């Protein structure tokens, strides 16, 4: 199992999500840590090679976690946020891309 490394405010942002979203996204991240694939995810090539977005929706809204698992050292959580529009916002993509560049592997 790979360790989980949160970059920037991603841990705080994930912790501030409603309990149902936190739980579901936590299970998805655990699956990734063990080498599996989340149940609903999408590659995020605009952020960087190996970046993916986990998608989760419930009655409280749409929630996303952007992560990178291609490195042997850890699974890096770049960004966690609630989605407000149909398309992932420019701010969210740019923030995750900046954090991707922080990974010193």
């Amino acid at each position: 199992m790979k360790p989980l490394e949160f970059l920037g405010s991603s841990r705080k942002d994930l912790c501030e999500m409603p309990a149902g979203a936190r739980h579901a996204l936590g299970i998805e991240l655990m699956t990734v840590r063990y080498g599996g694939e989340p149940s609903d995810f999408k590659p995020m090539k605009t952020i960087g090679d190996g970046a993916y977005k986990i998608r989760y929706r419930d009655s409280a809204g749409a929630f996303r976690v952007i992560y990178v698992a291609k490195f042997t050292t850890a699974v890096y959580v770049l960004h966690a946020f609630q989605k407000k529009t149909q398309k992932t916002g420019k701010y969210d993509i740019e923030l995750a891309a900046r954090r991707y560049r922080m990974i010193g592997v």
Side-chain angles (χ1 to χ4, degrees):
M1 176 175 66
K2 290 184 186 179
L4 200 56
E5 295 287 334
F6 290 88
L7 299 178
S9 64
S10 60
R11 179 188 300 265
K12 177 180 145 313
D13 298 335
L14 182 62
C15 288
E16 290 176 352
M17 290 182 182
R22 263 194 335 265
H23 178 75
L25 292 168
I27 289 172
E28 298 288 11
L29 286 170
M30 181 64 71
T31 300
V32 172
R33 290 178 70 193
Y34 278 99
E37 292 183 347
S39 59
D40 188 2
F41 71 110
K42 177 181 175 183
M44 298 293 291
K45 295 179 195 258
T46 56
I47 292 170
D49 185 42
Y52 291 90
K53 170 174 60 176
I54 299 173
R55 303 181 288 195
Y56 175 75
R57 176 181 290 280
D58 67 8
S59 61
F63 301 90
R64 304 292 185 262
V65 169
I66 299 175
Y67 72 93
V68 179
K70 74 174 190 169
F71 302 108
T72 58
T73 52
V75 173
Y76 294 92
V77 178
L78 305 175
H79 189 31
F81 60 102
Q82 182 171 6
K83 198 165 172 189
K84 303 288 185 182
T85 61
Q86 185 78 9
K87 191 174 176 183
T88 301
K90 183 179 177 182
Y91 169 80
D92 295 308
I93 291 171
E94 289 174 352
L95 178 61
R98 276 195 311 274
R99 290 178 178 168
Y100 183 96
R101 291 189 297 272
M102 290 170 51
I103 301 171
V105 179

